[in-house]
Amino acid sequence: MALNSPPAMHHHTYYALMQHHLEASEIVVKKSMTKAADEMKEQEGKDIAVSLDGSWQCCGHSSQKDVVLCITVTTGNCEDIDILSHYCKSCQLWETKRKEKPDEYEKFIQDNKCQLNHEGSSNSMEATGAFNIFHYSISSHDIQYLDGDSSLIVISSTRHYHCLSTVTI
């Protein structure tokens, strides 16, 4: 210990604290977005004009993660978000330990929250995220987002999702 500083936090303790922060943040975000959706429904009715945009983890068309945001046209508030991933680092790590530690691997599989939630190209992540956001808005908020994003129209027609309305904004 230099200069009477306390010892560094152990990495297991750090990750446990980060997990608690993540869970608390998810609760706050969900409540905030539900409140925003309810306010928009009161102001504009069930059909809400939005703009959708995605952001990749890295430049180029090979990113393994993408975040898609749904922002209302009238207020600029973020109404919803979808995070997509091509891979799960934890699953990859534990797959290499599968034969060495079978009991620990089975426990991991039972407790794991796998982050892999997208199959397909990096280019299709934004459209998939937009589709998820549109679908989620109807099932959980009882509102329908309206957007003129051509990539969304393509994916919605390939999934036979007939409830989407599109307008050019």
Side-chain angles (χ1 to χ4, degrees):
M1 288 193 296
L3 302 173
N4 294 328
S5 61
M9 185 182 302
H10 192 270
H11 68 277
H12 290 296
T13 305
Y14 173 79
Y15 286 117
L17 287 170
M18 289 299 102
Q19 186 62 37
H20 289 298
H21 284 286
L22 173 65
E23 291 167 3
S25 298
E26 287 173 343
I27 291 169
V28 170
V29 165
K30 192 171 189 173
K31 285 182 180 180
S32 173
M33 289 185 182
T34 300
K35 182 181 175 189
D38 290 343
E39 289 173 1
M40 288 303 298
K41 191 167 35 171
E42 286 177 20
Q43 293 173 4
E44 298 186 25
K46 289 187 176 186
D47 294 336
I48 299 172
V50 296
S51 174
L52 292 145
D53 195 18
S55 178
W56 287 339
Q57 180 183 18
C58 61
C59 296
H61 298 277
S62 61
S63 181
Q64 296 190 20
K65 294 191 182 229
D66 187 30
V67 176
V68 180
L69 299 172
C70 175
I71 301 167
T72 58
V73 173
T74 54
T75 64
N77 291 337
C78 180
E79 290 294 319
D80 220 329
I81 185 171
D82 194 25
I83 301 170
L84 299 160
S85 178
H86 272 294
Y87 80 109
C88 179
K89 186 75 170 174
S90 298
C91 291
Q92 271 185 337
L93 176 66
W94 275 98
E95 191 59 41
T96 61
K97 298 179 181 183
R98 185 179 200 165
K99 292 181 181 176
E100 299 169 17
K101 303 177 181 180
D103 294 336
E104 290 179 33
Y105 176 78
E106 287 303 318
K107 183 177 180 335
F108 165 77
I109 292 298
Q110 291 173 357
D111 300 339
N112 183 32
K113 293 180 182 176
C114 183
Q115 294 179 357
L116 179 101
N117 62 0
H118 177 74
E119 291 182 13
S121 69
S122 296
N123 288 339
S124 67
M125 283 183 164
E126 184 175 349
T128 301
F131 176 85
N132 294 342
I133 288 171
F134 274 63
H135 183 69
Y136 179 75
S137 73
I138 295 168
S139 63
S140 64
H141 300 306
D142 191 32
I143 58 177
Q144 184 168 322
Y145 297 136
L146 305 175
D147 184 48
D149 189 345
S150 60
S151 60
L152 176 63
I153 294 167
V154 171
I155 198 161
S156 65
S157 65
T158 60
R159 293 193 184 190
H160 307 291
Y161 192 70
H162 62 279
C163 296
L164 290 179
S165 297
T166 57
V167 294
T168 303
I169 299 172

